[in-house]
């Protein structure tokens, strides 16, 4: 039987992106307020575009409007009408569309590699007239960031080749390969280390990489139009002292003197698009003159070179910018599973699944909130700071457990397990806040106690504690905690060892506790696998998902956030099996852009990938099946069903100007 139910989960930053595709005239006209044009709808998350027409009116772009990254074509006009482009039905991920000569080139991730730890990304081409799609990347080869010359005859890609993923993502070790559109199997590697290629005419490719001095920079390589072999060495184009990446050049006739680059400069927090003069080797600001306080991403030129496009947070005055829905439908590859992205973290279902508890959204609401499961109403339960994780008692509709203290700290940090009690009847009222009392269950001197999970009977809580000097699992009385002095509380140790056991989950039938651990490789804090144990401590076993015991794949697992299906037959978790789908430097911060959701049976069989994107997805909860709520299939849920977005997201935290 297929897994069934409703899965809710969080995705880092995406709910705040509010991206639209814009373009500006080059050079900027004197009246800068009239210089910028919006090409997309002002409602969806729209990004990574290319111009389709010579006049810079029509764009092909990526949009999350259908619950997954799909490709669209926006026709000129005041309503920014968009129509889907013919791609691959059922694919959860598309990227970097380019239309040339009646063909659409793009990245898709619908073909599963033969082994884990390989990216699913590959380049495809669709004949727009016949809608026939062919794979352009050779079998087994991972390609990203395709660029097509103005003639449509030449293609360049950032390629990972057929290598297994080496767990790199801050600086993705790709090479630049070029080939003829008519003969994609005969490719030439023109750059051994680089990414994000762009054609300048038919004989020059610009690309980015981290230079030896530590600055992201743009380089160029010239290639022979006949053999496609490099005709000279790589040459650095942009100077040190600032980061320059995701270059764009004008393809027609050699493209003139300008390239467009995204930059990060010392003393400036924003990413901006600038023009770089190839003759004078000087920069001219573009987007900083238009929107100095906003990030701008991934420039692209019109074929004539008269306009530069990019995407950014849509800002004030656009339709839809004021609401981020509390719940967003996400396309599921399994018809019996419904998937929802939640505007918050660490969600958990109420006993009747009518509500969700979660920590507040990423930026504005500390504490714990409660959301109606149709996304239509939210209540604040407590604004107490430093609360993370939620576990709603299956036996008590007015009890939620949480962790109190700093997250991701050492064993000695003071973090405690707490019990939130409230009147669940108040969730039927129109008030926005529900009164709650907070009862601490573990002793402050015990150390780092976190990630509580409640037993189905509601009497016990399993949690991770660092009280021994190592992070292991303990079980405590759910009502009284470890208040043994009162003669009522009790606590006992479940696991014991010089390793990390963390994020436990109690099966709904009460028979098992699942958790993540590196006990198979205790010296490596980057590898975690799923383990199962009975509540009495017996029957401990590892669930081998990526490969059998002793295999190289099994030793590379990074699995966390595990929980059970409502029938206790399946496991849901986040994992690194699918590698990286796109160049992370081209997007806002993702701590782990390889984090996707998977399900498998309790013995590790039946593995299914549920999400496939360039984001970090995590902290899932699995509830019973539910019919789609009225209005929930729209990304804008109406008054009271979302928060105002101010475009609050971070640049990659590892990208600094302290080089």
């Amino acid at each position: 039987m297929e897994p069934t139910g409703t899965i809710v989960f969080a995705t880092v930053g995406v709910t705040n992106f509010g991206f639209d595709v814009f373009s500006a005239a080059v050079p900027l006209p004197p009246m800068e307020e009239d210089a910028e044009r919006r090409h997309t709808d002002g409602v969806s998350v729209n990004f990574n575009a290319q111009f389709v027409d010579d006049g810079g009116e029509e764009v092909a772009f990526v949009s999350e409007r259908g619950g997954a990254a799909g490709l669209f074509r926006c026709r000129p006009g005041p309503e920014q009408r968009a129509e889907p482009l013919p791609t691959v039905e059922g694919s959860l991920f598309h990227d970097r569309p380019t239309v040339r000569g009646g063909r659409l080139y793009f990245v898709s991730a619908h073909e599963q590699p033969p082994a884990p730890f390989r990216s699913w990304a590959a380049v495809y081409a669709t004949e727009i007239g016949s809608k026939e799609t062919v794979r352009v990347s050779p079998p087994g080869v991972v390609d990203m960031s395709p660029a097509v010359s103005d003639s449509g005859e030449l293609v360049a890609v950032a390629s990972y080749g057929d290598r297994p993923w080496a767990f790199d993502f801050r600086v993705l070790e790709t090479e630049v390969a070029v080939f003829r559109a008519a003969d994609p199997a005969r490719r030439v590697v023109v750059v051994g280390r680089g990414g994000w290629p762009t054609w300048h005419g038919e004989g020059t490719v610009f690309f980015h990489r981290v230079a030896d001095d530590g600055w992201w920079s743009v380089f160029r390589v010239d290639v022979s139009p006949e053999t496609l072999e490099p005709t000279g060495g790589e040459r650095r184009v942009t100077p040190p002292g600032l980061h320059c990446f995701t270059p764009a050049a004008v393809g027609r006739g050699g493209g003139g003197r300008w390239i467009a680059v995204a930059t990060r400069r010392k003393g400036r927090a924003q990413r901006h698009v600038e023009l770089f003069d190839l003759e004078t080797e000087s920069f001219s600001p573009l987007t900083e003159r238009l929107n100095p306080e906003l990030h701008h991403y991934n420039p692209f030129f019109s074929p004539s070179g008269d306009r530069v496009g990019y995407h950014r947070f849509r800002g004030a005055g656009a339709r839809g910018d004021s609401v981020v829905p509390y719940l967003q439908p996400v396309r599921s590859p399994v018809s019996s599973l419904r998937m929802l992205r939640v505007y918050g973290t660490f969600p958990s279902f109420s006993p009747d699944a009518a509500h969700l508890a979660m920590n507040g959204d990423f930026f504005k609401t500390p504490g714990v909130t409660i959301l109606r499961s149709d996304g239509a109403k939210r209540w604040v339960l407590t604004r107490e700071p430093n609360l993370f994780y939620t576990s709603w008692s299956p036996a008590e509709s007015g009890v939620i457990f949480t962790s109190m203290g700093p997250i991701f700290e050492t064993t000695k940090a003071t973090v405690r397990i707490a019990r939130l009690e409230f009147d669940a009847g108040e969730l039927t009222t129109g008030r926005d806040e529900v009164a709650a009392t907070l009862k601490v269950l573990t002793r402050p001197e015990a150390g780092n106690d976190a990630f509580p999970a409640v037993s189905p009977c509601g009497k016990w809580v399993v949690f991770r504690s660092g009280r021994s000097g190592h992070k292991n699992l303990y079980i405590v009385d759910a009502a009284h905690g470890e208040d043994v002095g009162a003669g009522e509380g009790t606590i006992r140790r479940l696991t014991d060892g010089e390793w990390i056991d963390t994020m436990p989950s109690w099966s709904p039938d009460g028979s098992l506790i699942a958790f993540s651990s590196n006990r198979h490789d205790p010296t490596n804090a980057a590898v975690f696998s799923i383990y199962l144990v009975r509540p009495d401590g017996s029957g401990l076993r590892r669930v081998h998902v990526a490969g059998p015991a002793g295999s190289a794949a099994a030793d590379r697992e990074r699995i966390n956030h595990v929980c059970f299906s409502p029938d206790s037959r399946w496991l849901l978790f986040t994992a690194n099996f699918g590698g990286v789908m796109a160049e992370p430097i081209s997007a806002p911060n993702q701590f782990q852009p390889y984090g996707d959701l998977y399900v498998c049976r309790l013995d590790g069989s039946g593995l299914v990938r549920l999400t496939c994107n360039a984001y970090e997805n995590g902290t899932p909860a699995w509830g019973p099946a539910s019919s789609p709520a009225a209005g929930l299939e729209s990304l804008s849920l109406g008054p009271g069903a979302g928060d105002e977005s101010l475009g609050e997201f971070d640049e990659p935290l590892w990208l600094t100007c302290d080089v």
Side-chain angles (χ1 to χ4, degrees):
M1 292 181 61
E2 286 191 331
T4 62
T6 300
I7 291 173
V8 295
F9 65 98
T11 302
V12 173
V14 173
T15 49
N16 281 282
F17 283 177
F19 284 152
D20 267 319
V21 176
F22 293 80
S23 69
V26 179
L28 285 175
M31 298 296 291
E32 293 178 6
E33 63 270 19
D34 299 325
E36 196 175 46
R37 178 186 302 160
R38 177 165 59 86
H39 294 271
T40 47
D41 64 0
V43 176
S44 315
V45 177
N46 309 299
F47 56 99
N48 282 359
Q50 292 287 335
F51 286 110
V52 175
D53 63 331
D54 289 347
E57 296 279 349
E58 188 175 346
V59 295
F61 61 98
V62 186
S63 180
E64 298 275 357
R65 66 188 64 191
L71 302 185
F72 293 81
R73 182 175 187 164
C74 189
R75 303 290 188 181
E79 297 300 320
Q80 287 84 32
R81 293 180 296 104
E83 60 186 38
L85 284 164
T87 54
V88 179
E89 186 176 353
S91 177
L92 298 180
F93 178 81
H94 297 88
D95 197 19
R96 300 297 308 278
T98 299
V99 176
R100 290 284 190 277
R103 297 189 96 195
L104 168 67
Y105 292 86
F106 60 95
V107 176
S108 180
H110 61 279
E111 291 186 285
Q112 181 175 349
F117 307 113
R118 293 176 182 268
S119 175
W120 294 29
V123 174
Y124 298 81
T126 298
E127 295 289 343
I128 294 178
S130 66
K131 300 183 180 180
E132 180 182 352
T133 299
V134 296
R135 179 174 175 129
V136 174
S137 301
V141 170
V142 175
D143 287 336
M144 307 173 188
S145 310
V148 186
S149 68
D150 186 65
S151 68
E153 296 180 0
L154 302 177
V155 181
V157 295
S159 181
Y160 210 82
D162 59 1
R163 297 174 292 133
W165 181 43
F167 303 100
D168 50 329
F169 69 94
R170 294 180 178 180
V171 180
L172 201 62
E173 293 296 333
T174 54
E175 59 194 16
V176 175
V178 300
F179 50 87
R180 299 189 186 281
D183 191 8
R186 298 183 62 182
R187 52 170 55 193
V188 177
V189 175
V190 297
V191 174
R193 186 168 61 89
W196 207 271
T198 180
W199 287 97
H200 187 64
E202 303 288 310
T204 298
V205 176
F206 289 91
F207 59 95
H208 67 202
R209 74 160 176 247
V210 179
D212 292 340
D213 54 24
W215 295 101
W216 281 87
S217 301
V218 174
F219 293 74
R220 67 178 288 172
V221 62
D222 297 328
V223 301
S224 165
E226 290 76 29
T227 66
L228 301 185
E229 295 287 345
T231 58
E234 304 164 10
R235 287 177 285 165
R236 187 173 184 171
V237 174
T238 57
L242 78 165
H243 292 300
C244 299
F245 30 67
T246 61
V250 183
R252 182 163 300 169
R257 60 189 293 177
W258 300 98
I259 62 171
V261 295
T263 65
R264 279 288 304 278
R265 292 179 174 270
K266 290 183 177 181
R268 189 184 71 191
Q270 291 76 28
R271 179 185 302 211
H272 277 293
V273 173
E274 302 185 42
L275 299 177
F276 183 76
D277 191 317
L278 297 171
E279 297 179 6
T280 64
E281 299 185 349
S282 60
F283 289 92
S284 296
L286 182 67
T287 60
E288 190 173 21
R289 292 172 57 187
L290 299 170
N291 313 288
E293 301 303 318
L294 299 178
H295 297 298
H296 298 72
Y297 293 88
N298 305 352
F300 56 99
F301 269 106
S302 63
S304 63
D306 294 335
R307 298 194 72 82
V308 171
Y310 44 84
H311 62 265
R312 65 167 175 84
F313 171 64
R314 60 182 61 99
R319 295 181 298 124
D321 68 310
S322 61
V323 174
V324 177
Y326 297 143
L327 290 175
Q328 292 180 324
V330 173
R331 191 185 306 162
S332 172
V334 180
S335 60
S336 55
L337 281 176
R338 188 162 181 249
M339 298 182 63
L340 300 170
R341 179 179 289 134
V342 66
Y343 187 34
T345 56
F346 297 115
S348 61
F349 282 92
S350 64
D352 61 0
H355 296 89
L356 294 165
M358 69 191 74
N359 299 119
D361 65 69
F362 292 106
F363 297 99
K364 293 182 293 187
T365 311
V368 174
T369 60
I370 293 177
L371 178 67
R372 222 171 71 179
S373 59
D374 64 359
K377 174 69 176 175
R378 188 175 70 171
W379 297 263
V380 175
L381 191 61
T382 175
R383 299 183 187 274
E384 180 77 26
N386 292 326
L387 296 184
F388 64 94
Y389 213 74
T390 72
S391 179
W392 205 317
S393 172
E396 297 177 275
S397 59
V399 175
I400 296 170
F401 295 87
T402 187
S403 311
M404 188 174 181
I407 194 171
F408 302 133
E409 286 291 339
T410 65
T411 57
K412 297 180 179 180
T414 299
V415 184
R416 294 174 288 175
I417 302 301
R419 172 185 171 107
L420 280 166
E421 299 178 354
F422 60 98
D423 180 2
E426 292 190 33
L427 300 179
T428 62
T429 70
R431 291 192 292 270
D432 294 331
E433 299 204 17
V434 174
T437 58
L438 187 68
K439 179 180 180 180
V440 177
L441 297 183
T442 57
R443 296 178 287 109
E445 66 271 18
N448 192 332
D449 299 335
F451 305 117
V454 196
S455 63
C457 65
K459 295 180 179 180
W460 307 101
V461 173
V462 60
F463 65 99
R464 183 217 69 196
S465 179
R467 60 187 63 202
S468 70
H470 304 283
K471 293 179 177 178
N472 297 139
L473 303 184
Y474 292 75
I475 294 178
V476 71
D477 186 292
H480 305 288
E482 55 179 321
D483 186 12
V484 293
E488 296 175 316
T490 183
I491 187 169
R492 62 181 175 89
R493 191 165 187 163
L494 182 64
T495 64
D496 186 0
E498 297 181 2
W499 45 68
I500 300 172
D501 300 327
T502 191
M503 290 192 172
S505 174
W506 216 306
S507 65
D509 65 8
S511 64
L512 291 170
I513 292 171
F515 61 97
S516 295
S517 179
N518 69 340
R519 58 175 57 215
H520 52 284
D521 189 3
T523 61
N524 190 343
V527 296
F528 286 86
S529 294
I530 300 173
Y531 286 81
L532 299 175
V533 66
R534 297 190 185 98
D536 64 3
S538 66
L540 176 70
R541 63 182 176 91
R542 180 179 173 184
V543 179
H544 291 280
V545 182
S551 66
D555 293 336
R556 303 174 79 193
E557 291 179 342
R558 186 179 178 91
I559 300 176
N560 223 320
H561 302 166
V562 61
C563 64
F564 288 90
S565 61
D567 62 6
S568 301
R569 296 181 178 180
W570 294 81
L571 296 168
L572 167 66
F573 52 90
T574 62
N576 60 345
F577 300 159
V580 176
M581 307 304 300
E583 296 189 51
I585 189 63
S586 67
N589 184 62
Q590 296 290 320
F591 296 100
Q592 299 177 115
Y594 47 80
D596 274 304
L597 300 184
Y598 294 79
V599 293
C600 73
R601 297 185 181 91
L602 300 190
D603 63 359
S605 65
L607 181 68
V608 178
R609 186 176 187 172
L610 297 183
T611 61
C612 186
N613 53 48
Y615 314 131
E616 179 182 358
N617 307 284
T619 71
W622 198 338
S626 61
S627 60
L632 194 57
E633 301 309 315
S634 169
L635 295 185
S636 179
L637 300 183
D643 274 353
E644 182 181 5
S645 171
L646 300 177
E648 296 162 303
F649 49 85
D650 294 321
E651 276 281 85
L653 300 185
W654 40 267
L655 180 67
T656 72
C657 291
D658 299 326
V659 175

